[in-house]
Amino acid sequence: MPLPSKAGPRPGFTLIELLVVIAIIAVLIALLLPAVQQAREAARRSQCANNLKQLGLAMHNYESSSRCFPPGSIGPMNGNSSFAAPWADPSVGTCCPWGHFSWSAIILPFVDGANVYNTIDFTVPAYTFSIIENGAQRGPAGDPKNKVAANSQPPVFVCPSAPRVQPVTQHKDYGINGGTGTCCPERSQAGMTGIGFVNSCIRIGDIIDGTSNTLMFAELAHTTNHSWIDRNTGANPFLWVHHPSQGYVDATPQDIPDNHSYNNRAAESHHTGGVQTVMADGHLKFISDNVDVNVYIAIFTRSGGEVIGDY
């Protein structure tokens, strides 16, 4: 006959103890989550900076073979602010292009995008799936021959910090320096002060202010409002350019990063505190939202003669 056990009841956790443990875990998670988010954003920001670096290298590789930097956009034109069908915007007349090709199409062979480049027919307009302009949808638009290319954007054109409102394969998050606000780099060559404009061919020797002092690319999140295109509708198609100057960033007092008007061509970033850029010599530069207006405008001119200090 077994002897009776002398062991008492097994101790357990009381309800209060369980609640305390749960509360401690919740506090630890609350403390850890911001650190995790910061680490993820740091990785996304680093990838975005690397994209800009690759774009800068592509521009210089193009310049080495062509003896000038790629144009900001290309396509047929009769002269400044003069375009003929099917290359003229039907909503505003002959003043503006309709389906010119952005710089992003031109540098594809230099960013591991040769296969996409080879599918593009540059003799007909580019293609875009969406143009939400003044609240109305004008897309899809362009020539279907370029539809496959328009849906095949390489990842180097996408900042991972920019939340997507359009498919990642169709809208980019960077813009070329179009100058200091003289309207408009996609339709005229007159008075353009930047690195790229319609059918431009800017040589390194044309950058009299110095390549280290002159902007090449800045972030242009596709979520921005960008001259007639509402915020969070998709303002920067991969290939397509028409009168809102897609793919271009300009500088005027109203176009300081993240602080601009409705009809603008300003840089915009989803990183805290400013925008990432790459200068014409290829070095990366983070520009604060609090940058001096005059300094900011000065880096958009290639031969303005401004003296630029630290910023």
Side-chain angles (χ1 to χ4, degrees):
M1 179 176 180
L3 296 174
S5 173
K6 294 183 180 180
R10 298 185 63 181
F13 290 107
T14 66
L15 178 59
I16 293 178
E17 290 172 329
L18 288 172
L19 292 174
V20 169
V21 171
I22 292 171
I24 292 172
I25 293 173
V27 170
L28 292 175
I29 292 174
L31 293 173
L32 182 61
L33 189 58
V36 172
Q37 291 174 334
Q38 289 176 5
R40 289 177 175 174
E41 169 54 19
R44 291 191 293 262
R45 179 168 167 170
S46 178
Q47 180 60 55
C48 182
N50 184 64
N51 289 346
L52 284 163
K53 187 72 173 179
Q54 295 306 310
L55 296 179
L57 288 172
M59 292 284 281
H60 278 276
N61 287 335
Y62 180 99
E63 190 276 337
S64 294
S65 62
S66 302
R67 300 297 179 232
C68 63
F69 288 119
S73 54
I74 59 169
M77 59 189 300
N78 295 331
N80 291 331
S81 300
S82 179
F83 302 85
W87 300 92
D89 189 330
S91 73
V92 294
T94 60
C95 73
C96 305
W98 182 250
H100 271 200
F101 291 86
S102 182
W103 56 266
S104 51
I106 305 164
I107 67 170
L108 279 170
F110 302 94
V111 290
D112 293 330
N115 290 339
V116 179
Y117 182 86
N118 290 335
T119 70
I120 298 175
D121 186 344
F122 288 97
T123 67
V124 296
Y127 188 89
T128 186
F129 295 86
S130 176
I131 307 172
I132 304 178
E133 190 175 288
N134 276 347
Q137 176 63 267
R138 297 187 66 193
D143 196 297
K145 290 181 181 179
N146 290 314
K147 186 174 182 178
V148 171
N151 195 35
S152 304
Q153 177 176 258
V156 70
F157 298 106
V158 177
C159 176
S161 292
R164 304 312 299 178
V165 298
Q166 290 285 351
V168 69
T169 56
Q170 297 175 15
H171 281 67
K172 58 188 180 291
D173 295 309
Y174 305 104
I176 197 169
N177 169 14
T180 53
T182 302
C183 189
C184 295
E186 85 286 352
R187 69 188 77 163
S188 176
Q189 298 178 331
M192 296 299 150
T193 62
I195 294 294
F197 44 91
V198 59
N199 295 331
S200 63
C201 184
I202 299 299
R203 301 168 300 171
I204 288 182
D206 296 327
I207 307 176
I208 298 173
D209 289 346
T211 54
S212 64
N213 293 323
T214 305
L215 182 76
M216 180 176 286
F217 286 114
E219 290 185 84
L220 178 61
H222 76 292
T223 56
T224 184
N225 63 299
H226 191 72
S227 183
W228 296 44
I229 301 176
D230 294 331
R231 182 176 295 279
N232 294 324
T233 59
N236 197 3
F238 171 33
L239 302 179
W240 178 271
V241 178
H242 75 301
H243 77 86
S245 311
Q246 292 97 333
Y248 287 99
V249 288
D250 284 359
T252 66
Q254 71 180 18
D255 289 344
I256 297 301
D258 297 322
N259 180 27
H260 41 76
S261 67
Y262 176 73
N263 187 20
N264 81 93
R265 291 158 179 83
E268 181 166 310
S269 168
H270 284 276
H271 308 299
T272 301
V275 297
Q276 298 195 107
T277 71
V278 63
M279 307 303 282
D281 66 348
H283 87 271
L284 299 174
K285 180 73 176 181
F286 186 80
I287 299 179
S288 169
D289 290 339
N290 299 317
V291 64
D292 180 87
V293 173
N294 294 323
V295 171
Y296 184 71
I297 293 174
I299 66 172
F300 276 79
T301 65
R302 65 181 183 271
S303 56
E306 305 94 342
V307 177
I308 301 175
D310 293 334
Y311 64 99

